[in-house]
Amino acid sequence: IAIQGIGSAAGRNHEAGKYPIEQLYTPLRSHGGLDQQNSLERTETISLDKLLPQSHHLLIEGQPGAGKTTFLKLVAAMLVRDLLKTPHPEGGHWRGKYLGMHKKESLRHPLFLRLSELAVLLAKDQTPIANDRRRLLDLLVTSDNASNDPAWRDHWQTLLNNGQSTLLLDGLDEVADEE
């Protein structure tokens, strides 16, 4: 996380200080959890890191600035650290410590995409294609961090087709067009 003005020497350095996301992240809480029949109970508040492992699909709603995007970035960061086998200073694994996920759960590759960018892509090219899920791949290969190598797209397509990816779709509220 880049924090403007923190860590600057006597206010002379106006560049943002950069800190590991888990050091500054404030855990979010939600109303409700899943009971034995997977129906939502709104009688308790539960931390999102406890709710995440219980759900294959999770929609997080909240006011602007509530921390939804930061939570998605935390999820991505912790999964990537485990994928890269980055050791946790206290032992164990990152997704267990910060996301409440067990090591026995399959480790999936996180894919963080902004839906507002997908909306722009769809508006540019309205050619219908047989499988609209491929539009996520179109967005992925046009992103700033994309590789020009066709194998990169093939790699992500394989991960998505085999259920080896966690889709972290951000900014649903920023997409103005209902389509």
Side-chain angles (χ1 to χ4, degrees):
I1 299 178
I3 304 293
Q4 187 70 28
I6 294 180
S8 62
R12 288 176 284 198
N13 182 355
H14 293 290
E15 291 193 21
K18 295 190 184 232
Y19 300 89
I21 192 168
E22 71 279 3
Q23 287 183 7
L24 296 178
Y25 176 74
T26 302
L28 297 178
R29 299 188 66 76
S30 175
H31 292 288
L34 298 177
D35 64 13
Q36 297 292 341
Q37 289 78 31
N38 289 331
S39 62
L40 191 63
E41 289 184 358
R42 295 195 173 266
T43 58
E44 62 176 302
T45 59
I46 185 170
S47 177
L48 284 184
D49 65 338
K50 303 287 186 276
L51 192 56
L52 183 64
Q54 297 178 25
S55 309
H56 289 303
H57 302 92
L58 183 62
L59 173 68
I60 302 170
E61 295 179 305
Q63 297 296 320
K68 302 176 300 291
T69 299
T70 304
F71 179 71
L72 293 178
K73 289 181 178 182
L74 176 78
V75 171
M78 298 305 107
L79 292 177
V80 165
R81 287 183 187 165
D82 280 345
L83 282 167
L84 295 174
K85 298 182 180 7
T86 304
H88 190 282
E90 299 172 6
H93 57 285
W94 294 93
R95 68 189 182 278
K97 172 89 173 151
Y98 295 99
L99 305 177
M101 300 172 99
H102 299 288
K103 192 168 187 165
K104 65 182 179 180
E105 294 177 59
S106 63
L107 183 55
R108 296 185 174 141
H109 294 72
L111 179 55
F112 179 90
L113 296 171
R114 299 201 48 79
L115 291 176
S116 58
E117 294 173 5
L118 180 61
V120 170
L121 178 70
L122 293 173
K124 284 182 185 175
D125 179 14
Q126 297 195 2
T127 307
I129 56 176
N131 182 353
D132 286 337
R133 292 178 301 156
R134 291 185 53 200
R135 291 302 193 168
L136 291 176
L137 290 169
D138 293 343
L139 176 61
L140 183 63
V141 298
T142 60
S143 70
D144 293 337
N145 298 325
S147 169
N148 291 330
D149 187 345
W152 196 70
R153 180 188 175 108
D154 293 343
H155 170 74
W156 278 105
Q157 184 167 0
T158 299
L159 290 174
L160 289 167
N161 287 344
N162 294 336
Q164 296 172 312
S165 182
T166 296
L167 289 175
L168 304 168
L169 304 175
D170 188 36
L172 180 62
D173 57 333
E174 298 170 14
V175 182
D177 188 353
E178 291 181 10
E179 292 181 41

